[in-house]
Amino acid sequence: MAEKAEVKLDRAQVKKAVQALQAFLKTKATGDKLLLDETQKISLLFTMWKIPKKAQTFRIPLPHGQRSDSEEVCLFTKDEPRMTSEQTQRFYKKLLQVKGVKNMPEIIPYKVLKTEYKPHEAKCRLLGKFNVFLSDDRVRRLLPSHLGKHFYERNKAPLCVNLQSKTLARDIQRLVQGTTLKMNNRGPCCMARVAHSGMTADEVTDNIEAAVQTVADKLQTKRPAIKVIHLKSETSVALPIYTSDLSHLSVPPTTETANEKKVEKNKKKDDKPSEEKIKLKKKKMDEEEEEIPQLVPIETPAKKTKLEKSSKKQTRQKTPKPVVAKSGVKTQKKPAKKTVKMATPGKRKAPKVK
C-alpha cells in the first residue's frame, strides 16, 4: 500500500488564529445582530497544488455541531403506497421519533413537491425558509428536475439519507452538523464551512483538525496535495494556518551532475568484473603480444611509361604497309590534276602588236 501524505497542524497556532478571528467578529458585530443572536460562518479555504481532473464532493463529519439549533431542516420522502400525503407525513414523523431523532425536520412528500411547489415563486420561498435539505435515497435522482438550478447554485442541494438504516439518528446528525467540501476542476481553491462565531475556540480548533484530517485521507496521494489552508469568515481576511513544505518538489539535475552519476555507476560496475570480462581481457593481451607482420607496398608503374606505351601503339597502327607490285601487272598511275589558273578580275593584259 502506498503511503498517504500527512498534513500536520500546529494546534497552538490554529487556536491563536481562531481567537484573533473571534475578536475581530466581536468588534464588527452591531447591536441588532446581538439581539437577533445571529452568528457568522467560519470556513476553511483549501488551496491545492494542482487543479483536480474531476469534480469531487467529500462529506466531512465534525465532532461539534457547526449549525445552531434554530436552523430548520427539510426532508423529502417517498410516497408510501395506499396513503395520502398527510398520512405519509405522519408515518415518517413517527418513524423519526422511534429512531431517536431530536431535531424533527419538516417532511415534504414527493407528490406535494410536484404539485404545490411547481411555480418558481413557491420554490424560492422553500429555498429561503430552510437552511438544510435532506432527501430519501430512493427519491434523490428525481429531485433535480423539480427543484431547479437555484438550489444547486446556492450550495443547498439535498443530502441523501437512508431512512431504512438502523442508525438513522446518527446519520442525520452527521449530515446536519457535518459539512461538505466541493472540489471543482475549474480552479485550485475550494471552501468548506467548519464552525460559527458562537462556538468556543477549542470547539472550533477541534472541528478544523477533524476537517483537515478527513480531506487529507480522502485525497489519497503520495505527495502533499494541499498547498495552503486559510481560516476566514464572511467579512474577515483569510488567516493562514498551514503551509506545505517544498521538499517534495523535484529539481531536474544539471548535465554535470548527470554525467558524474553516470561515471560513478560505471566505476561501480567495473569494480566487480565478471568471468566473461576477465576472459576477454586475456584474449586482448595475447593478441597484443603477437608480432604484427609489416606490409610492403607494391610499386606502381609511373604515369610517363603508360603514356609512352600508348603513343607507340598509336603510331604503329597509323603507319601503312608498303604495297608490293605483282609480276606482270602494271600499276596504274593516277591522273594528275590539271591546275587551271583563273584570271584575276581587273588585270587584263593588252595584246602584243606586231
Side-chain angles (χ1 to χ4, degrees), residues 45-296:
L45 178 63
F46 294 90
T47 306
M48 305 296 172
W49 280 106
K50 293 182 180 179
I51 298 172
K53 295 180 181 179
K54 296 181 181 179
Q56 297 177 342
T57 303
F58 301 138
R59 289 184 181 179
I60 304 169
L62 299 173
H64 306 284
Q66 51 103 13
R67 286 187 174 90
S68 61
D69 296 334
S70 61
E71 291 186 2
E72 295 184 359
V73 182
C74 178
L75 175 63
F76 300 110
T77 61
K78 180 187 174 184
D79 294 324
E80 290 295 326
R82 298 177 185 179
M83 286 188 185
T84 61
S85 58
E86 293 178 357
Q87 289 175 347
T88 53
Q89 286 178 353
R90 292 172 189 170
F91 172 76
Y92 281 107
K93 279 183 180 180
K94 288 181 181 179
L95 179 66
L96 295 174
Q97 285 177 359
V98 171
K99 295 290 183 179
V101 178
K102 295 178 181 179
N103 297 327
M104 192 62 61
E106 183 72 23
I107 294 170
I108 299 175
Y110 180 65
K111 190 183 291 184
V112 175
L113 179 65
K114 288 194 296 183
T115 56
E116 294 184 8
Y117 295 97
K118 190 174 182 180
H120 178 69
E121 294 176 356
K123 291 177 184 177
C124 291
R125 285 197 303 269
L126 180 66
L127 182 62
K129 187 178 179 181
F130 298 99
N131 296 317
V132 184
F133 292 92
L134 303 176
S135 69
D136 189 355
D137 56 356
R138 295 170 291 181
V139 191
R140 176 68 180 84
R141 61 185 181 83
L142 303 173
L143 295 178
S145 60
H146 297 286
L147 292 176
K149 62 181 181 180
H150 300 288
F151 282 79
Y152 299 92
E153 287 177 353
R154 297 186 186 180
N155 295 327
K156 287 189 178 182
L159 304 172
C160 290
V161 182
N162 184 10
L163 296 177
Q164 297 175 350
S165 176
K166 294 179 181 180
T167 59
L168 181 60
R170 189 184 68 182
D171 296 343
I172 290 174
Q173 185 69 16
R174 282 185 177 181
L175 289 173
V176 172
Q177 299 299 341
T179 186
T180 56
L181 178 67
K182 293 183 178 181
M183 296 178 66
N184 295 324
N185 54 358
R186 299 175 183 175
C189 297
C190 52
M191 189 178 290
R193 181 181 174 181
V194 172
H196 59 83
S197 58
M199 297 171 66
T200 61
D202 292 326
E203 290 176 350
V204 176
T205 51
D206 292 339
N207 286 0
I208 289 168
E209 287 179 347
V212 171
Q213 190 62 37
T214 51
V215 170
D217 292 339
K218 288 184 178 181
L219 287 173
Q220 295 179 357
T221 55
K222 294 180 182 179
R223 295 181 178 179
I226 301 170
K227 186 178 181 181
V228 186
I229 301 173
H230 291 87
L231 181 70
K232 71 183 298 296
S233 68
E234 295 175 351
T235 57
S236 68
V237 182
L239 303 174
I241 59 172
Y242 170 78
T243 305
S244 178
D245 296 329
L246 302 177
S247 58
H248 67 281
L249 297 176
S250 58
V251 181
T254 57
T255 54
E256 294 180 358
T257 55
N259 293 329
E260 288 177 0
K261 287 181 180 179
K262 287 181 181 179
V263 171
E264 288 178 359
K265 285 182 180 179
N266 293 328
K267 285 182 179 179
K268 288 179 180 179
K269 290 179 181 179
D270 294 336
D271 292 340
K272 296 179 180 179
S274 59
E275 294 180 356
E276 294 179 357
K277 287 183 179 180
I278 293 166
K279 290 179 181 180
L280 291 170
K281 284 182 180 180
K282 286 182 179 180
K283 285 182 180 180
K284 287 180 180 180
M285 293 292 288
D286 296 336
E287 289 176 358
E288 288 176 358
E289 288 177 358
E290 291 178 0
E291 293 182 357
I292 299 169
Q294 295 181 356
L295 298 174
V296 180

Side-chain angles (χ1 to χ4, degrees), residues 327-338:
S327 60
V329 180
K330 291 182 180 179
T331 57
Q332 294 180 358
K333 292 182 180 179
K334 291 182 180 181
K337 292 181 179 180
K338 293 181 180 180

Side-chain angles (χ1 to χ4, degrees), residues 315-328:
T315 51
R316 285 177 184 175
Q317 289 176 1
K318 286 181 181 180
T319 52
K321 293 180 180 180
V323 179
V324 179
K326 292 182 181 180
S327 60

